[in-house]
Amino acid sequence: MTTAGGSLASSPHSPTETSDSQAHPHSFSSSFASDRTSQLPRSQTLLPTIPVAAETATMTTSPRTILFVTGNANKLKEVRAILLSSTQHTENANPAATPSFSVESQDLDVPEVQGTTEEVAKAKCKAAAEIVGGPCITEDTALAFEALGGLPGPYIKYFLKAVGLEGLNNMLAGFPSKRATAICTFAYSAGPGTEPLIFEGRTEGKIVQARGPTHFGWDPVFEPDEGEGKTYAEMDGVAKNKISHRYRALDKLRKYLLE
Ligand SMILES: O=c1[nH]c(=O)c2ncn([C@@H]3O[C@H](COP(=O)(O)OP(=O)(O)OP(=O)(O)O)[C@@H](O)[C@H]3O)c2[nH]1
Ligand SMILES: [Mg+2]
C-alpha cells in the first residue's frame, strides 16, 4: 500500500515498520511519524526520543499515516471525519505546529475473543499487529444496557444480527431502565509482541424505538442524552461526531499521538 505520507504504517511488511519496543509516547510517535525515514535502512530509522509534534513541525508538514485495521466502512468514515475536523481546527490556530493524520485501512478478519471491552479490544489489536507485522490501531464498539449489567456490551454486533433493532428494544421490555452506554475502545499496538494501549470514549443515552436512517448498526435505537431528543441516526454526521463515543475515544488517541 502506498500513501501520501509514505509512512511506515501504510506498508505493513516493510522492515522499517516493525518495532518491538514497548509503546510509550515518544517511541510511539517516532514509529508513526517518519515519512523521511521510510526509505532508510532500519538502523537509520531508530529515531531519538523527540516529541513528534515538535520534530514534525520543523521538518515536514506531510500527514502521518495511521493503519486502521477494520472491516467496518462506517467506522472508517467517521474516524476520518473526526480526525480531519479536529486537525483542521488546531491547524487553523497554528498551521506550523500541528501535524495532521491520514488514515489507511486494512480489512482483516481478526478473531474477537470474549471478555471485557478492554480485553476484547486489546486482543483484537494484538492479533491485528501480528498479521500486519507492524504498528496499527483497531477499534471495538460496545453497547452496554444498564438493566442487563452491561450486556450486550462488546457482543452487540451479534445481538444486532440475531434480533435486529426491534429485538434490542424487546430485550428491555421487562425492565424499567432503558439506559445504555455506547463505548468505543481504540487500541494501539506499536507492533507484534507489544502490549496495546487503550483509549476509551463513552456516551450515555437510552434505547428507544428505531428512528432515522438505518445504514449504521444500532444508530436508530440509541438516543444520546446530549442529542436534543434525536437518535444517533437522526443526527447529522457533524453533530454525532461532536458527542459520540467514537469522537471521545479518538480525541484521546489523537492527543496521545501529538504528545
Ligand atoms: O449504530 C452504530 N453506531 C456506531 O457508532 C457504531 N459503531 C459500531 N457499531 C456497530 O456495533 C458493532 C460493533 O462491533 P465491532 O466493534 O466488532 O465492529 P465491526 O466488526 O463492524 O468492525 P471491526 O471489528 O472490523 O472494526 C457492529 O455491528 C457495528 O456496526 C455501531 N453502530
Ligand atoms: Mg468486529
Side-chain angles (χ1 to χ4, degrees):
M1 230 183 323
T2 306
T3 65
S7 85
L8 56 86
S10 65
S11 47
H13 302 297
S14 160
T16 61
E17 295 171 9
T18 307
S19 166
D20 290 333
S21 63
Q22 283 298 312
H24 61 83
H26 295 169
S27 69
F28 169 85
S29 299
S30 296
S31 69
F32 256 72
S34 300
D35 309 349
R36 294 172 290 115
T37 61
S38 60
Q39 304 304 317
L40 299 176
R42 179 170 165 73
S43 59
Q44 293 179 45
T45 68
L46 300 176
L47 300 179
T49 54
I50 301 168
V52 72
E55 179 199 38
T56 308
T58 55
M59 304 298 284
T60 177
T61 55
S62 299
R64 288 171 292 146
T65 303
I66 299 169
L67 179 61
F68 181 20
V69 175
T70 182
N72 190 313
N74 285 310
K75 283 186 183 179
L76 182 62
K77 191 176 155 194
E78 287 191 3
V79 164
R80 284 189 167 135
I82 292 166
L83 282 179
L84 185 68
S85 69
S86 50
T87 302
Q88 281 171 341
H89 179 72
T90 47
E91 282 184 347
N92 283 344
N94 185 355
T98 310
S100 59
F101 301 99
S102 72
V103 180
E104 283 294 317
S105 78
Q106 199 165 337
D107 178 0
L108 293 176
D109 193 14
V110 180
E112 290 178 21
V113 303
Q114 292 186 38
T116 63
T117 53
E118 183 165 333
E119 286 164 347
V120 172
K122 275 192 177 176
K124 185 168 161 179
C125 193
K126 265 188 177 176
E130 293 292 335
I131 297 170
V132 303
C136 65
I137 59 171
T138 57
E139 190 254 52
D140 204 72
T141 302
L143 189 62
F145 294 176
E146 181 183 77
L148 301 183
L151 287 173
Y155 315 113
I156 182 60
K157 180 173 179 174
Y158 307 98
F159 276 72
L160 183 59
K161 210 170 170 182
V163 302
L165 295 171
E166 187 63 29
L168 292 181
N169 267 271
N170 293 342
M171 280 166 55
L172 292 174
F175 296 94
S177 172
K178 313 296 178 193
R179 303 288 308 160
T181 309
I183 306 166
C184 177
T185 311
F186 276 95
Y188 162 70
S189 168
T194 64
E195 188 65 11
L197 299 178
I198 291 296
F199 303 86
E200 187 192 89
R202 289 172 176 250
T203 297
E204 302 294 335
K206 61 184 178 189
I207 300 301
V208 297
Q209 290 294 323
R211 299 195 313 263
T214 54
H215 56 78
F216 192 6
W218 39 264
D219 263 1
V221 296
F222 184 72
E223 186 183 298
D225 294 342
E226 301 146 278
E228 297 173 346
K230 292 180 176 172
T231 63
Y232 263 173
E234 291 174 311
M235 300 169 77
D236 68 34
V238 174
K240 179 185 173 188
N241 290 343
K242 278 183 185 157
I243 61 148
S244 78
H245 54 305
R246 181 160 296 105
Y247 161 73
R248 290 183 168 136
L250 200 51
D251 198 45
K252 291 179 185 171
L253 174 61
R254 188 183 63 82
K255 284 178 178 146
Y256 179 79
L257 288 165
L258 294 172
E259 270 178 11

